Amino acid sequence: MKSAVETLNPTRVRLTVEVPFEELKDSLDAAYKKINQQVTVKGFRKGKIPARVIDQRFGRGAVLEEAVNDALPKFYTEAVNEAELNVLGQPEVDITELKDNETLNFTAEVDIRPAIEIPDYSGIEVEVDAVEVSDEDVDKAVEELRERFASTSPVGRAAEDGDVVTIDLEAKVDGEVLEDGVASGVSYTIGSGELLEGIDDAVKGLEAGGEATFTSELKGGSAAGKESEVTVKVTQVAARELPSLDDDFAQLASEFDTLDELKADSRKRLENMKQYDQATQAQERVLEKLLELVEVPVPEKLLADEIQTRKHNLVNHQLGQMGLDLAKYLEIQGKTEEEFDAETKEQAEKGIKTQFVLDELVNKEKLNVNQEELTEHLMRRAQSSGMSPDQFAQAVVEGGQVPMLVGEVARGKALAVVVEASTVKDTNGEVVDLDDEDETAAAEGEQTEATSDASEEKTEA
């Protein structure tokens, strides 16, 4: 077999392959054997029909077609390996010449990973938010904890902001009560914004037994997105009572004996959160700077597929679960379809470029992933997916996604290398020393988000 490579552009090549006919022998034998099992000829036992009889009865062309279909993937793979190409996706194959007992010639056009030159990134400088926790931040955190331990007690007055009301709901569209538009005994905190728009104004001022009707757009159910006439009846009004902010509350809500100890712990937790956010911010901004330094051509078909995948996931999964379609989503976001398409393309392009650049860094820095790192990453991914580690691991193995997870960890390590070489300062002008744990976690989070749809499974042949 002889092959040659023609570069069509930085991300696409054409392979020209010439196969001597004798190299088709194994595929021809397999073709005759397969046809033998599929057909019957009077006078011959099944599977024992001579090749000449198959040629006479069914045509040599059918045998050649079967043999070529069987042989093409093997010869294509040999040509790719011989040329040391890093191909993306499936090739477009064209048989240019097929002469019985002489030769098989074909071409294969396929996208490839572009050659990327990683420049010196040690001069990257970024600014991140300073880690500052105010007394107001601490007070807010403690107040939120206090809200969780609030109690309620029925009152004989009209409902006010912050009260918890028990209500019955009935929704009508075009005068007809919806099958899924009736609910009883619903508990609702006035002002929480957790139910329908307009319900706060409807129930405020009502006592137990009071009733009101208002118009609102339904958020979910069979008539999601439609205007509905909603009747709400209040069956109980209860006032929320917050516990006193004292040592007794600290002992009730935590493992601490005093309120001061609880506040000190809250401050420490907030500092840890802000440090993690700072590390994530550093990763994001360093990645942006890195991508600005590198010229990364993106294969057109890969980009088109990525855009389509992102739109499909949004429309059929995320929006579908919320009972929205794309048109309603765009209306809520205040975007035109053209703006949405432009943003989706930009995000898809960034995801692909990120993966290409970080993968090149993995190779350049000779980074490896050990079992402990992979296990830690798997545990984090399982937690974010809502699955147990065992369930997630089983799904990963059964789906052949282990290489994808290894790639995610390796790219996270590559990004961490760049951050370590960069200068990171906070808004106070102080150099930030990111600790390794936060740095690695943030790196994996950023690159995984950026490349979640441009996965190994999609971009490797």
Side-chain angles (χ1 to χ4, degrees), residues 33 90 114 195 224 231 265 269 330 337 381 412 441 451:
K33 185 175 181 180
Q90 297 301 313
L195 280 179
T231 299
D265 180 70
R269 288 174 184 272
L330 294 178
E337 191 166 349
R381 289 291 301 275
T451 63

Side-chain angles (χ1 to χ4, degrees), residues 313-380:
N313 289 340
L314 174 67
V315 173
N316 294 281
H317 298 293
Q318 300 172 42
L319 298 184
Q321 292 176 356
M322 295 187 290
L324 298 174
D325 58 17
L326 183 58
K328 190 61 185 177
Y329 168 76
L330 294 178
E331 181 184 331
I332 294 172
Q333 294 291 315
K335 297 176 184 175
T336 65
E337 191 166 349
E338 289 74 19
E339 290 172 334
F340 168 76
D341 287 341
E343 286 182 10
T344 303
K345 180 181 179 181
E346 182 181 352
Q347 292 164 359
E349 203 161 16
K350 180 186 176 184
I352 294 170
K353 287 181 176 181
T354 297
Q355 180 172 322
F356 284 174
V357 170
L358 294 184
D359 283 346
E360 185 62 30
L361 269 166
V362 169
N363 295 330
K364 180 180 179 180
E365 302 293 343
K366 296 181 173 57
L367 301 175
N368 295 309
V369 176
N370 61 40
Q371 186 61 48
E372 182 181 357
E373 291 167 334
L374 182 60
T375 300
E376 289 177 358
H377 183 62
L378 187 147
M379 297 282 282
R380 282 192 289 269

Side-chain angles (χ1 to χ4, degrees), residues 200-338:
D200 289 339
D201 291 337
V203 297
K204 277 192 293 188
L206 295 181
E207 298 183 13
E211 188 175 298
T213 300
F214 64 100
T215 301
S216 182
E217 184 179 296
L218 298 178
K219 295 181 179 179
S222 61
K226 293 185 177 181
E227 287 291 321
S228 172
E229 182 183 86
V230 182
T231 299
V232 55
K233 181 178 181 180
V234 176
T235 59
Q236 179 180 278
V237 178
R240 300 178 74 250
E241 298 175 1
L242 297 175
S244 300
L245 277 177
D246 52 23
D247 291 346
D248 289 339
F249 168 69
Q251 294 167 23
L252 170 70
S254 71
E255 69 271 29
F256 301 106
D257 293 327
T258 68
L259 184 61
D260 287 342
E261 290 174 332
L262 173 60
K263 287 186 174 182
D265 180 70
S266 296
R267 183 179 295 275
K268 182 62 178 175
R269 288 174 184 272
L270 289 172
E271 288 174 349
N272 290 340
M273 289 173 58
K274 286 181 177 287
Q275 286 171 352
Y276 185 87
D277 290 343
Q278 187 186 63
T280 302
Q281 192 178 65
Q283 296 288 341
E284 292 171 349
R285 294 183 178 179
V286 167
L287 177 60
E288 293 285 352
K289 292 281 189 179
L290 178 63
L291 293 180
E292 290 174 6
L293 295 176
V294 187
E295 185 68 29
V296 187
V298 176
E300 291 183 7
K301 186 176 186 306
L302 180 63
L303 178 59
D305 290 345
E306 177 66 11
I307 291 171
Q308 181 59 35
T309 297
R310 287 173 181 258
K311 290 182 70 172
H312 175 83
N313 289 340
L314 174 67
V315 173
N316 294 281
H317 298 293
Q318 300 172 42
L319 298 184
Q321 292 176 356
M322 295 187 290
L324 298 174
D325 58 17
L326 183 58
K328 190 61 185 177
Y329 168 76
L330 294 178
E331 181 184 331
I332 294 172
Q333 294 291 315
K335 297 176 184 175
T336 65
E337 191 166 349
E338 289 74 19

Side-chain angles (χ1 to χ4, degrees), residues 118-186:
I118 303 294
D120 178 15
Y121 46 77
S122 60
I124 290 178
E125 294 186 11
V126 298
E127 184 181 74
V128 296
D129 295 335
V131 173
E132 297 173 343
V133 178
S134 66
D135 291 343
E136 290 76 13
D137 293 331
V138 175
D139 291 342
K140 181 180 178 182
V142 173
E143 189 62 28
E144 288 174 354
L145 181 62
R146 187 182 176 208
E147 290 279 348
R148 288 167 51 189
F149 284 85
S151 59
T152 60
S153 57
V155 293
R157 58 165 173 77
E160 302 172 355
D161 271 326
D163 286 344
V164 178
V165 291
T166 304
I167 54 177
D168 298 335
L169 294 166
E170 180 184 83
K172 294 180 180 179
V173 172
D174 297 330
E176 296 291 331
V177 178
L178 300 171
E179 288 186 10
D180 55 354
V182 178
S184 300
V186 177

Side-chain angles (χ1 to χ4, degrees), residues 25-211:
K25 183 180 184 306
D26 290 344
S27 293
L28 281 168
D29 291 343
Y32 278 117
K33 185 175 181 180
K34 182 176 180 180
I35 294 173
N36 242 306
Q37 300 301 320
Q38 294 175 339
V39 301
T40 57
V41 175
K42 189 175 181 180
F44 297 96
R45 285 183 296 163
K46 195 174 186 66
K48 300 295 183 179
I49 308 170
R52 59 178 177 78
V53 175
I54 290 177
D55 288 347
Q56 292 169 356
R57 290 292 186 93
F58 305 102
R60 174 72 166 176
V63 179
L64 288 175
E65 182 180 356
E66 183 67 39
V68 169
N69 288 339
D70 175 74
L72 276 178
K74 180 185 70 172
F75 294 126
Y76 165 73
T77 301
E78 287 180 9
V80 166
N81 293 338
E82 185 178 288
E84 298 182 341
L85 298 175
N86 198 338
V87 298
L88 305 169
Q90 297 301 313
E92 295 179 6
V93 177
D94 181 28
I95 298 173
T96 55
E97 187 176 23
L98 175 59
K99 289 185 178 179
D100 197 1
N101 292 313
E102 291 186 30
T103 187
L104 163 65
N105 297 336
F106 69 90
T107 62
E109 288 191 18
V110 66
D111 287 333
I112 59 170
R113 279 181 179 257
I116 298 174
E117 187 68 32
I118 303 294
D120 178 15
Y121 46 77
S122 60
I124 290 178
E125 294 186 11
V126 298
E127 184 181 74
V128 296
D129 295 335
V131 173
E132 297 173 343
V133 178
S134 66
D135 291 343
E136 290 76 13
D137 293 331
V138 175
D139 291 342
K140 181 180 178 182
V142 173
E143 189 62 28
E144 288 174 354
L145 181 62
R146 187 182 176 208
E147 290 279 348
R148 288 167 51 189
F149 284 85
S151 59
T152 60
S153 57
V155 293
R157 58 165 173 77
E160 302 172 355
D161 271 326
D163 286 344
V164 178
V165 291
T166 304
I167 54 177
D168 298 335
L169 294 166
E170 180 184 83
K172 294 180 180 179
V173 172
D174 297 330
E176 296 291 331
V177 178
L178 300 171
E179 288 186 10
D180 55 354
V182 178
S184 300
V186 177
S187 180
Y188 175 67
T189 301
I190 300 176
S192 66
E194 294 174 353
L195 280 179
L196 298 168
E197 185 176 344
I199 194 169
D200 289 339
D201 291 337
V203 297
K204 277 192 293 188
L206 295 181
E207 298 183 13
E211 188 175 298

